[in-house]
Amino acid sequence: MGIVVESVSKSFSGTFALKDVSVSIEDGQFVTFLGPLGAGKTTLLRIMCGIDRPDSGRIYYDGQDVTDVAVQKRPVAMVYQQFVNYPSMTLYENIASPLRVSRRKYSKGEIEKRVHESADLLGIRQILGHYPEEVSGGQKQRAAIARALTKDAKFIFLDEPLANLDYKLREELRGELKEILRRKGGVVVYATPEAVDALSMASHVGYIENGQLWQYGALKHVYRYPQFKEVGRYFSYPTMNILPGTVEKYAKGAALVLSDDLRVDVSRIADQLDQEVYQVGIRAYNISTSKEHAEMVPFQAEVELSEELGSDTELHVRHNGQTLVVLLQEFARHEIGQKVTLYLDSTRLFLFHPHTNEL
Ligand code: ADP
Ligand code: MG
């Protein structure tokens, strides 16, 4: 039970917007498709919910091939980035509209009950009598989400639903959406360029770039085992540093040479190293100013920038001609130009194949 996307491709004027995308989503999962602008997220959602047809490939809902089934006949609801509200209707009428046009006839009482239920969930019961222009952007988007929920669609698609909201509203709705959507069951498919949306809400994530699904899996798994540096970067706050690392094998093991001053023993994975050079990823918070355990490897660096962010400090340091970002979980003042000894957690390195861009 759930949604299966099988080898879906779609081109616009000869250019691939989606290329051979396959993914299998089970009931109860909250899936976030992440990727930069133009990656193909919207195209994938439109095809999954039936607004658009793929050039090739199939879509299955609960084991049934629905590729040729019109969107109106599918158990779906979609929330868009732009607030879609009918300006001449009150929020009540906006939220009720999918029920009124549904093939299933809803009684007046049933419509009222459903509209009130979803308005309560989104906290907009008191303003149902207002017109869209009379309420704030956040309230409009809440109404758009409530509208998607009234129909009891089994599959809900949200395309950057928080994109047009300010920071504070985004934070607030993000927390609420997770609860509301998880409680509904079914499947939630959510597209966003914001990793934080995925990290705070999703059970599963897919990373899309250039129309291809680079990696898909449980959030924890993708976070822990990014296969590509782009994925690692996306799933790191504030970033993942990427440095070239040369493998030096010797009789009893191997070392990864990141610079003259920075060598990491990688003997425990020596037999898995089939490249001479890797792109080595290290998350900003896996570098520290103190040696927290025996696998922390020291190196020298010069402070280029120091930013105190409440209880954290973000440092940009220069090492071997490259800038590294370091997130210290402490409030610490550093002078620009100051020499510092830092410690890299060698148990938290990611080795990326150097040619992964040519997927
Ligand atoms: P995203 O939602 O990740 O930003 P889209 O799915 O909107 O990406 O777009 C993927 C690619 O397909 C882009 O290069 C975009 O320009 C192109 N594209 C999307 N929709 C159309 C369309 N209707 N006509 C022409 N090109 C399109
Ligand atoms: Mg889009």
Side-chain angles (χ1 to χ4, degrees), residues 134-150:
E134 299 170 343
V135 303
S136 71
Q139 289 168 328
K140 268 192 277 230
Q141 194 63 331
R142 281 169 191 265
I145 295 166
R147 187 163 131 231
L149 299 180
T150 34

mmCIF file of all heavy atoms in Angstrom, residues 134-150:
data_model
loop_
_atom_site.group_PDB
_atom_site.id
_atom_site.type_symbol
_atom_site.label_atom_id
_atom_site.label_comp_id
_atom_site.label_asym_id
_atom_site.label_seq_id
_atom_site.Cartn_x
_atom_site.Cartn_y
_atom_site.Cartn_z
ATOM 1 N N GLU A 134 -8.563 39.824 3.526
ATOM 2 C CA GLU A 134 -8.686 40.403 4.872
ATOM 3 C C GLU A 134 -7.789 39.712 5.907
ATOM 4 O O GLU A 134 -7.774 40.105 7.061
ATOM 5 C CB GLU A 134 -10.146 40.301 5.364
ATOM 6 C CG GLU A 134 -11.127 41.055 4.492
ATOM 7 C CD GLU A 134 -12.576 40.744 4.843
ATOM 8 O OE1 GLU A 134 -12.851 39.742 5.507
ATOM 9 O OE2 GLU A 134 -13.437 41.536 4.433
ATOM 10 N N VAL A 135 -7.105 38.650 5.475
ATOM 11 C CA VAL A 135 -6.279 37.920 6.453
ATOM 12 C C VAL A 135 -4.809 37.934 6.027
ATOM 13 O O VAL A 135 -4.482 38.295 4.890
ATOM 14 C CB VAL A 135 -6.783 36.461 6.643
ATOM 15 C CG1 VAL A 135 -8.241 36.455 7.079
ATOM 16 C CG2 VAL A 135 -6.582 35.638 5.378
ATOM 17 N N SER A 136 -3.942 37.534 6.950
ATOM 18 C CA SER A 136 -2.499 37.591 6.673
ATOM 19 C C SER A 136 -2.074 36.455 5.739
ATOM 20 O O SER A 136 -2.822 35.503 5.512
ATOM 21 C CB SER A 136 -1.741 37.473 7.986
ATOM 22 O OG SER A 136 -1.864 36.148 8.472
ATOM 23 N N GLY A 137 -0.859 36.562 5.243
ATOM 24 C CA GLY A 137 -0.299 35.525 4.375
ATOM 25 C C GLY A 137 -0.275 34.166 5.055
ATOM 26 O O GLY A 137 -0.596 33.149 4.444
ATOM 27 N N GLY A 138 0.088 34.173 6.313
ATOM 28 C CA GLY A 138 0.154 32.919 7.057
ATOM 29 C C GLY A 138 -1.225 32.285 7.198
ATOM 30 O O GLY A 138 -1.386 31.077 7.071
ATOM 31 N N GLN A 139 -2.226 33.135 7.428
ATOM 32 C CA GLN A 139 -3.588 32.613 7.570
ATOM 33 C C GLN A 139 -4.120 32.098 6.235
ATOM 34 O O GLN A 139 -4.810 31.084 6.182
ATOM 35 C CB GLN A 139 -4.504 33.705 8.147
ATOM 36 C CG GLN A 139 -4.190 33.967 9.616
ATOM 37 C CD GLN A 139 -4.855 35.217 10.150
ATOM 38 O OE1 GLN A 139 -5.053 36.191 9.416
ATOM 39 N NE2 GLN A 139 -5.199 35.197 11.426
ATOM 40 N N LYS A 140 -3.746 32.800 5.154
ATOM 41 C CA LYS A 140 -4.156 32.336 3.824
ATOM 42 C C LYS A 140 -3.571 30.950 3.541
ATOM 43 O O LYS A 140 -4.246 30.067 3.029
ATOM 44 C CB LYS A 140 -3.658 33.306 2.748
ATOM 45 C CG LYS A 140 -4.684 34.381 2.430
ATOM 46 C CD LYS A 140 -4.309 35.134 1.182
ATOM 47 C CE LYS A 140 -3.326 36.208 1.500
ATOM 48 N NZ LYS A 140 -3.621 37.539 1.008
ATOM 49 N N GLN A 141 -2.299 30.793 3.890
ATOM 50 C CA GLN A 141 -1.666 29.508 3.613
ATOM 51 C C GLN A 141 -2.249 28.420 4.510
ATOM 52 O O GLN A 141 -2.395 27.286 4.098
ATOM 53 C CB GLN A 141 -0.144 29.614 3.745
ATOM 54 C CG GLN A 141 0.637 28.437 3.172
ATOM 55 C CD GLN A 141 0.461 28.258 1.667
ATOM 56 O OE1 GLN A 141 -0.568 28.602 1.091
ATOM 57 N NE2 GLN A 141 1.460 27.695 1.019
ATOM 58 N N ARG A 142 -2.624 28.777 5.730
ATOM 59 C CA ARG A 142 -3.309 27.817 6.603
ATOM 60 C C ARG A 142 -4.624 27.379 5.969
ATOM 61 O O ARG A 142 -4.988 26.198 6.022
ATOM 62 C CB ARG A 142 -3.599 28.426 7.971
ATOM 63 C CG ARG A 142 -2.391 28.432 8.878
ATOM 64 C CD ARG A 142 -2.662 29.284 10.099
ATOM 65 N NE ARG A 142 -1.424 29.502 10.820
ATOM 66 C CZ ARG A 142 -1.026 28.754 11.849
ATOM 67 N NH1 ARG A 142 -1.781 27.785 12.302
ATOM 68 N NH2 ARG A 142 0.122 28.974 12.428
ATOM 69 N N ALA A 143 -5.328 28.356 5.363
ATOM 70 C CA ALA A 143 -6.596 28.019 4.709
ATOM 71 C C ALA A 143 -6.356 27.081 3.524
ATOM 72 O O ALA A 143 -7.108 26.134 3.303
ATOM 73 C CB ALA A 143 -7.309 29.284 4.253
ATOM 74 N N ALA A 144 -5.274 27.340 2.786
ATOM 75 C CA ALA A 144 -4.958 26.477 1.641
ATOM 76 C C ALA A 144 -4.659 25.052 2.116
ATOM 77 O O ALA A 144 -5.051 24.073 1.477
ATOM 78 C CB ALA A 144 -3.774 27.038 0.861
ATOM 79 N N ILE A 145 -3.991 24.938 3.246
ATOM 80 C CA ILE A 145 -3.684 23.610 3.783
ATOM 81 C C ILE A 145 -4.960 22.947 4.312
ATOM 82 O O ILE A 145 -5.214 21.771 4.059
ATOM 83 C CB ILE A 145 -2.593 23.699 4.875
ATOM 84 C CG1 ILE A 145 -1.279 24.187 4.251
ATOM 85 C CG2 ILE A 145 -2.386 22.346 5.549
ATOM 86 C CD1 ILE A 145 -0.233 24.646 5.263
ATOM 87 N N ALA A 146 -5.788 23.736 4.994
ATOM 88 C CA ALA A 146 -7.053 23.204 5.505
ATOM 89 C C ALA A 146 -7.895 22.679 4.343
ATOM 90 O O ALA A 146 -8.534 21.635 4.447
ATOM 91 C CB ALA A 146 -7.823 24.283 6.268
ATOM 92 N N ARG A 147 -7.866 23.418 3.236
ATOM 93 C CA ARG A 147 -8.637 23.008 2.073
ATOM 94 C C ARG A 147 -8.155 21.657 1.552
ATOM 95 O O ARG A 147 -8.944 20.800 1.155
ATOM 96 C CB ARG A 147 -8.509 24.075 0.991
ATOM 97 C CG ARG A 147 -9.390 23.820 -0.181
ATOM 98 C CD ARG A 147 -9.518 25.084 -0.995
ATOM 99 N NE ARG A 147 -9.280 24.788 -2.381
ATOM 100 C CZ ARG A 147 -8.429 25.455 -3.132
ATOM 101 N NH1 ARG A 147 -7.730 26.449 -2.638
ATOM 102 N NH2 ARG A 147 -8.280 25.137 -4.381
ATOM 103 N N ALA A 148 -6.840 21.468 1.575
ATOM 104 C CA ALA A 148 -6.289 20.197 1.106
ATOM 105 C C ALA A 148 -6.668 19.050 2.046
ATOM 106 O O ALA A 148 -6.756 17.904 1.629
ATOM 107 C CB ALA A 148 -4.775 20.295 0.992
ATOM 108 N N LEU A 149 -6.893 19.374 3.309
ATOM 109 C CA LEU A 149 -7.181 18.312 4.278
ATOM 110 C C LEU A 149 -8.656 17.925 4.330
ATOM 111 O O LEU A 149 -8.979 16.808 4.704
ATOM 112 C CB LEU A 149 -6.729 18.732 5.689
ATOM 113 C CG LEU A 149 -5.250 19.017 5.882
ATOM 114 C CD1 LEU A 149 -4.968 19.408 7.320
ATOM 115 C CD2 LEU A 149 -4.401 17.809 5.508
ATOM 116 N N THR A 150 -9.577 18.846 3.945
ATOM 117 C CA THR A 150 -11.011 18.554 4.126
ATOM 118 C C THR A 150 -11.470 17.347 3.356
ATOM 119 O O THR A 150 -12.385 16.663 3.779
ATOM 120 C CB THR A 150 -11.944 19.683 3.591
ATOM 121 O OG1 THR A 150 -11.356 20.265 2.478
ATOM 122 C CG2 THR A 150 -12.300 20.656 4.668
#
